[in-house]
Amino acid sequence: MPPSIQALTHTYFRHNKRFPHVWCPGCGNGIVMGALLRAITRLELEKDEIVLASGIGCSGRMPTYLDFNTLHTTHGRALTFATGIKLANPALNVVAIMGDGDATAIGGNHLIHAARRNLNLTAIIINNSIYGMTGGQYSPTTPFGSTTTTSVYGHIEHAFSIAELAVTAGASFVARSTVYHAALADQLIEQAMMKPGFAVVEIISNCHVQYGRRNKIGNAVEMLTAFKEQAVTVKKAATMEQKELQGKVTIGVLADRDLPVSTDEYKKIRERARAAQEES
Amino acid sequence: MSEEIHARRLLQGNEAIVQGALAARCRFFAGYPITPASEIAEQLSVRLPAVNGTFIQMEDEIASIGAVIGASLAGGKAMTATSGPGFSLMQENLGFACAAEVPCVIVNVMRGGPSTGLPTSPAQGDVQMARWGTHGDHSIIVLAVSSVLDSFIMTVRAFNLAEKYRVPVIILSDEVVAHTRESVELPLKSEVKVVDRIAPGMPPDWYKPYQEDARGVPPMAAFGDGYRHHVTGLVHDQDGFPTQNPQEVEKFHQRLSMKITKGLPDIQLTRKFHMDDAELFVVAYGSVARSAMRAVEEARMAGIRAGLVQLITLFPFPRRTLTPYLQQCHSVLVPELNLGQISREVQRVNQGQCTVVKQNRVDGRLITPQEIYNRLVKLSSGRLS
Ligand code: SF4
C-alpha cells in the first residue's frame, strides 16, 4: 500500500512555514513532488541525508516546501552545486530538481557534462515544454509549430528530447514518465536514487496555464489525458515503426548501465596521490 | 613526529597560493583552465587528493564556482582560481555566495582585458569588477597580493576572512606575481593561524540559519549535520525562506552590509612605509607596490619626503587608513596597470584635501620604479623644504 498523502505531508512538508505554495492549481509539479516523496519513503532514507537542489523556475520552488537539506540555486546551475555537495560529502543523497529550460537551455552544458562525468547524483527534470514562471516563452522542448509568448507566429525551432540527450551524454540511468503515470514516476525515481552513477528521470508535465491553454490542448485534466494517449512503453515502442512513433512519448527505462562512478573512482585517486606523496 | 624547520624555497606566486590554501585547510577546488592561473589548478589536482581533499575540473567557470559553493555548503573549505574572462563568468554565482553567505575564496590572476585581452601580460583591470561585478548591492572582500610570500599569507588570510564573515573573498594577483619565482621562507604550520566558521551550538529545532545577532554573522550548519535548512539566492528571512516583506528585505540587506562594516579594523589590511613624516605619498597594490617601494626608497635618498601606503585590502576600501595622510600630504600618486580604478577610490575619499595624481599603464608592461620615482621628483619640485 502506498503511503497516504496525509502521511507524506505530515512527514515531509514544512507545513507550518511555507504554505500556501506558489504553483497554479492543477500544476504537474505537485505530482512530481508526491512521486519523489513516495520514492524516498520506500527507500527509507533519513531526511538528514537528503539534499534537494533546484534551479530557477516554477520547479525551482519545490525544495522550499520540503524538510530536507534544501538548496535553491541560480538558473540552470543546480547540477553544479549538487556536484560540489556530493564531492564534499559523498554520504549525502543528492537530488537535483530542474525544469526543461533550466536543465537544457541555460543549464544544458552542465547536464551533458554531469551525465558524462557520472557522479552518483539523481536529476529529475520536469519537462512542461515552456517557461512557466516568466510567462510562457518557448523553451528547448517546445514542439515545432506551437504558440508561445515569444513565438506567436508559430515556433520554428526543433525540440530536444531530454531523455535521449541524457542517454547519448552517457548517464548511467535514464528514464521517462509523465505526470499522468504518477505511479511509474515514483518507481523510476526510486530506481534512479538507488542507481550508482548519474541518473536522469524526465517527467513530462503540464503547464496548462502557460502552454495548454495557448495551444488549445486545454486544462490540466485535458493535458493529462493527452499524455495518457501519447505515452507508449519502451517495450511497446521497440515493436513499433518509426512512423507510428511520431507524436508519441516513450515511457519507462531508456538506459540502465553499469559504468565507473566518479565519486568511487576518486577514492582510488586519493590512494594514488597518498602513495605518490609517501614515495617522494 | 617530524620536526618543523624553516626552509628557504624557490616558489612562484601561484605555487604559494596553493601552499597557502592547503595551510588554511582548503579541501576542495573546482576550476577551469585559464592562463595565467592554471598552475593553481594543476598543483591542487596533485596535492588535494593526498590530504583527503577533492579536485575537479568543471565544464566552465560558472560550474566551477557553483561546485565551490556546493562544497562549502557541505562543510568544506573551497576555492577556485581563474583570470579575467573566467572571473566574468563567475559573477552570477558570486552573487549567490554573497546573498546566501557561503564562505569561499576566488583567485583572479589578472591579465590584460577586456575580453580575451592580453592573456600573458600583467594588468590590474579587474579591480572594480571584483568589487561590483555581480549585480545588486552586496558586500565583498577583495585582497591584492604583491609578492610570493604575500600570496601565501594572504591566501590563508582570505580563507580566514571568508569563514569568519561568511562572505566570498577575492584574491587579485597579477601575471607578474603569479609567475615570478622568489626565494621565500614560508611560515611553519604551527605559525599559521587558521579560522573555521562557527557551527551552530543550539538544538536543530532552534536553529535559524540567518538569525541576526550582535556579530551579524550567523553560525553556519553544513548539509548533513542534522540542521536541515533552506538556502536560496532569493532575499530571505531569518529562517532562510524567500520573503518580500519590506521590513525583512531591508533587514537582509542591512545585515549583509553591517557584518562587513563591523569587521573593518580586522578586514582592512595595509602596509605603510615612511609615512610618519611624508609630504607626498604613493598608494599602490599588487606588483606595482613593489616598484613603488623601490621608488620611495630612492626618493628618500634624494631628500624627498615620500611615503607609500600599500593596499592589501582593496575593498572595503581602507578609507580610515588614508584619511590622515590625505590631510598630512600635499600630493598622492596612484600608479596602476589600468586607466585609474583605485585612483577613483582615492579621489572619492580625498574630499579635496590633497592633489590626487594618476599614473597608468595599459600596454601590457610593468610600471618601473624609475617611472614612479620620476613622478615623485616632479610632484615634489618646488615643494622641497
Ligand atoms: S505556470 Fe505552469 S509550471 Fe508554473 S505553476 Fe503554473 S502551471 Fe505550473
Side-chain angles (χ1 to χ4, degrees), chain A residues 189-257:
Chain A
I189 293 173
E190 185 182 346
Q191 273 178 273
M193 289 183 73
M194 276 189 330
K195 178 76 190 177
F198 191 69
V200 180
V201 183
E202 176 188 2
I203 301 178
I204 308 286
S205 183
N206 60 300
C207 177
H208 47 290
V209 175
Q210 302 290 9
Y211 185 78
R213 276 201 309 227
R214 199 168 279 122
N215 286 284
K216 315 235 157 26
I217 307 170
N219 61 22
V221 176
E222 285 156 338
M223 285 194 81
L224 261 68
T225 311
F227 295 151
K228 180 187 172 192
E229 280 154 16
Q230 283 161 7
V232 180
T233 61
V234 173
K235 214 167 154 193
K236 172 118 188 280
T239 67
M240 289 165 71
E241 297 284 331
Q242 202 57 32
K243 242 170 85 189
E244 296 173 281
L245 282 169
Q246 286 284 321
K248 298 285 182 199
V249 175
T250 46
I251 57 171
V253 177
L254 276 75
D256 187 355
R257 46 202 172 186

Side-chain angles (χ1 to χ4, degrees), chain A residues 21-30 57-59 126 128 130-136 205-211:
Chain A
H21 59 69
V22 299
W23 297 327
C24 308
C27 175
N29 287 351
C58 296
S59 66
I126 305 178
N128 60 16
I130 200 84
Y131 287 88
M133 189 170 258
T134 47
S205 183
N206 60 300
C207 177
H208 47 290
V209 175
Q210 302 290 9
Y211 185 78

Side-chain angles (χ1 to χ4, degrees), chain A residues 48 70 72 74 117 266, chain B residues 55 59 92-93 228 230-231:
Chain A
D48 281 338
T70 56
H72 180 205
T74 40
R117 195 171 282 133
Y266 203 76
Chain B
F55 165 89
E59 54 273 17
E92 176 198 46
N93 282 337
R228 294 188 303 277
H230 186 62
V231 178

Side-chain angles (χ1 to χ4, degrees), chain A:
Chain A
M1 254 258 301
S4 72
I5 294 286
Q6 205 184 25
L8 287 180
T9 53
H10 279 193
T11 314
Y12 295 113
F13 280 19
R14 286 167 168 156
H15 32 85
N16 52 350
K17 291 182 183 143
R18 297 329 306 167
F19 286 84
H21 59 69
V22 299
W23 297 327
C24 308
C27 175
N29 287 351
I31 299 176
V32 178
M33 183 157 80
L36 172 66
L37 294 181
R38 283 191 296 276
I40 287 172
T41 308
R42 280 205 300 271
L43 289 169
E44 295 180 354
L45 296 169
E46 295 290 329
K47 291 197 269 184
D48 281 338
E49 60 182 304
I50 295 173
V51 177
L52 188 63
S54 68
I56 297 293
C58 296
S59 66
R61 294 304 182 101
M62 191 185 292
T64 323
Y65 308 127
L66 299 175
D67 187 22
F68 303 121
N69 302 288
T70 56
L71 175 62
H72 180 205
T73 73
T74 40
H75 195 24
R77 318 298 177 210
L79 283 171
T80 71
F81 286 63
T83 297
I85 294 167
K86 185 70 188 177
L87 288 171
N89 185 356
L92 292 169
N93 202 317
V94 186
V95 179
I97 181 100
M98 297 169 285
D100 45 295
D102 199 29
T104 63
I106 191 164
N109 199 27
H110 309 310
L111 176 67
I112 56 174
H113 287 281
R116 174 186 65 78
R117 195 171 282 133
N118 204 31
L119 248 70
N120 195 4
L121 293 173
T122 305
I124 300 172
I125 304 172
I126 305 178
N127 179 2
N128 60 16
S129 307
I130 200 84
Y131 287 88
M133 189 170 258
T134 47
Q137 299 81 10
Y138 64 79
S139 89
T141 57
T142 301
F144 183 89
S146 19
T147 311
T148 71
T149 54
T150 45
S151 62
V152 286
Y153 305 113
H155 189 44
I156 56 168
E157 296 176 15
H158 303 280
F160 262 146
S161 174
I162 297 178
E164 275 81 0
L165 178 70
V167 172
T168 310
S172 282
F173 179 89
V174 182
R176 180 160 49 212
S177 182
T178 82
V179 285
Y180 176 82
H181 305 85
L184 175 66
D186 68 50
Q187 283 161 27
L188 295 175
I189 293 173
E190 185 182 346
Q191 273 178 273
M193 289 183 73
M194 276 189 330
K195 178 76 190 177
F198 191 69
V200 180
V201 183
E202 176 188 2
I203 301 178
I204 308 286
S205 183
N206 60 300
C207 177
H208 47 290
V209 175
Q210 302 290 9
Y211 185 78
R213 276 201 309 227
R214 199 168 279 122
N215 286 284
K216 315 235 157 26
I217 307 170
N219 61 22
V221 176
E222 285 156 338
M223 285 194 81
L224 261 68
T225 311
F227 295 151
K228 180 187 172 192
E229 280 154 16
Q230 283 161 7
V232 180
T233 61
V234 173
K235 214 167 154 193
K236 172 118 188 280
T239 67
M240 289 165 71
E241 297 284 331
Q242 202 57 32
K243 242 170 85 189
E244 296 173 281
L245 282 169
Q246 286 284 321
K248 298 285 182 199
V249 175
T250 46
I251 57 171
V253 177
L254 276 75
D256 187 355
R257 46 202 172 186
D258 295 318
L259 303 165
V261 178
S262 72
T263 354
D264 299 331
E265 294 299 307
Y266 203 76
K267 288 182 197 144
K268 297 180 203 165
I269 297 287
R270 284 180 176 163
E271 278 160 31
R272 275 178 230 158
R274 268 194 295 268
Q277 208 174 51
E278 273 156 30
E279 266 169 41
S280 66

Side-chain angles (χ1 to χ4, degrees), chain B residues 223-242:
Chain B
F223 282 166
D225 274 0
Y227 291 82
R228 294 188 303 277
H229 64 288
H230 186 62
V231 178
T232 177
L234 286 167
V235 171
H236 41 268
D237 60 19
Q238 294 191 46
D239 293 305
F241 294 112

